[in-house]
Amino acid sequence: MSDALRFEWVRLRTLRSTYWLIASALVLNATAAFLVAFVTRDDPLDNDIVGTAITSGGANPPVPLAAVFIAVIGILATGHEYRYGTIQPTLTAIPRRSTVLVAKIIVVAAVATAFAVVSMIANVAVGTVFWGEFPDLTSHPLDEALPGYLILVLLWGVLGTVLGQLFRGVASPLILILAVPLVVEQLIFRLSFVPALDWLQPAVKFLPFLAGQQLVNLSGEAGGTTVAGSGFELFDRWAAGGVFATFVAIILIAARTLFERRDA
């Protein structure tokens, strides 16, 4: 395993795209923090403002914007191997396929975790310039939403890695991680408000990407979050995170199983 981890780490840090994607994600998050802090600089500082700035929107965007860049790093970690035909020499050097896949997941997860921590620190620094004070990050719901953001970014990184392995390429996973949360899930969510289609409402809480966003919910409610304008609730923070984690685990099992059975 140590050889596989060393190989994957060298491969990842020698790719120019890794640095561009991480830098773009950091700039995107810092820009969002700057905008939130700037427009609220004269408002009383509350947890909703602080959480929105640090997590770049909380649960409001349909996808965590910067986490998409980390997912792309994961897609490239596996998809590039098939795009450029390097998977064969990789498996010749490390014939244990599970070891290869686990090493890629561990390295991408470590990069995702480091990114999330650095990004949150940078966003706090940007916000403090305008707020004039350092926010209390231990107050509720920040004490749960900020660890939730770290877990969310990590899961997106792992999801990108296993999707790249499942589809053995780059294009299909890229389309999927954008089309499903931004088009498919949003369409189901909106249609569930139509009276004739209200039978869709019980399924909304199980939409994986929508559920994952609840990890950074800033409502502060201990229980489930009621969707505005409707009578149904989403799962609470950690149950919803469990839905997204289960979705990632299912993709991981499928990718690992097919990786073992396919010719390469």
Side-chain angles (χ1 to χ4, degrees):
M1 176 57 78
S2 60
D3 291 338
L5 289 171
R6 190 179 305 110
F7 166 80
E8 186 58 28
W9 172 244
V10 171
R11 192 198 62 77
L12 195 66
R13 67 182 173 82
T14 52
L15 288 175
R16 189 180 303 172
S17 59
T18 301
Y19 298 97
W20 277 109
L21 288 166
I22 292 175
S24 298
L26 287 171
V27 170
L28 178 63
N29 268 5
T31 301
F34 167 78
L35 293 174
V36 172
F38 180 77
V39 300
T40 60
R41 62 189 185 282
D42 297 325
D43 298 339
L45 188 61
D46 61 32
N47 289 334
D48 190 55
I49 293 174
V50 174
T52 301
I54 297 177
T55 63
S56 301
N60 295 318
V63 295
L65 299 178
V68 174
F69 289 83
I70 303 303
V72 174
I73 291 176
I75 291 172
L76 298 182
T78 46
H80 261 171
E81 295 266 33
Y82 292 94
R83 183 179 182 184
Y84 296 109
T86 57
I87 187 62
Q88 293 178 351
T90 297
L91 292 177
T92 300
I94 310 172
R96 297 179 301 279
R97 297 188 176 213
S98 292
T99 301
V100 172
L101 183 57
V102 170
K104 291 181 181 297
I105 291 173
I106 290 175
V107 171
V108 172
V111 170
T113 302
F115 160 78
V117 172
V118 172
S119 177
M120 285 191 286
I121 293 173
N123 285 12
V124 171
V126 170
T128 302
V129 172
F130 295 95
W131 298 327
E133 60 179 303
F134 192 86
D136 180 10
L137 303 181
T138 62
S139 59
H140 191 70
L142 295 178
D143 59 339
E144 294 184 356
L146 299 187
Y149 179 72
L150 191 151
I151 295 172
L152 181 63
V153 174
L154 188 154
L155 288 175
W156 269 82
V158 174
L159 177 62
T161 306
V162 295
L163 281 176
Q165 181 60 58
L166 181 65
F167 288 96
R168 297 197 295 183
V170 173
S172 296
L174 284 176
I175 294 173
L176 192 148
I177 64 169
L178 294 176
V180 172
L182 295 177
V183 179
V184 178
E185 289 195 356
Q186 288 300 308
L187 183 61
I188 295 174
F189 179 71
R190 302 301 173 188
L191 288 177
S192 69
F193 288 90
V194 179
L197 298 174
D198 58 0
W199 51 270
L200 287 172
Q201 292 184 2
V204 169
K205 65 175 68 174
F206 293 100
L207 297 176
F209 292 98
L210 180 63
Q213 280 295 88
Q214 297 310 304
L215 282 167
V216 289
N217 190 294
L218 295 165
S219 68
E221 298 175 1
T225 300
T226 301
V227 177
S230 76
F232 64 97
E233 290 185 346
L234 302 176
F235 287 122
D236 65 21
R237 186 187 314 282
W238 303 120
V243 171
F244 188 51
T246 301
F247 170 71
V248 174
I250 291 172
I251 301 296
L252 168 59
I253 293 171
R256 188 260 183 189
T257 302
L258 291 177
F259 191 32
E260 292 285 352
R261 294 181 178 179
R262 285 168 169 168
D263 55 348

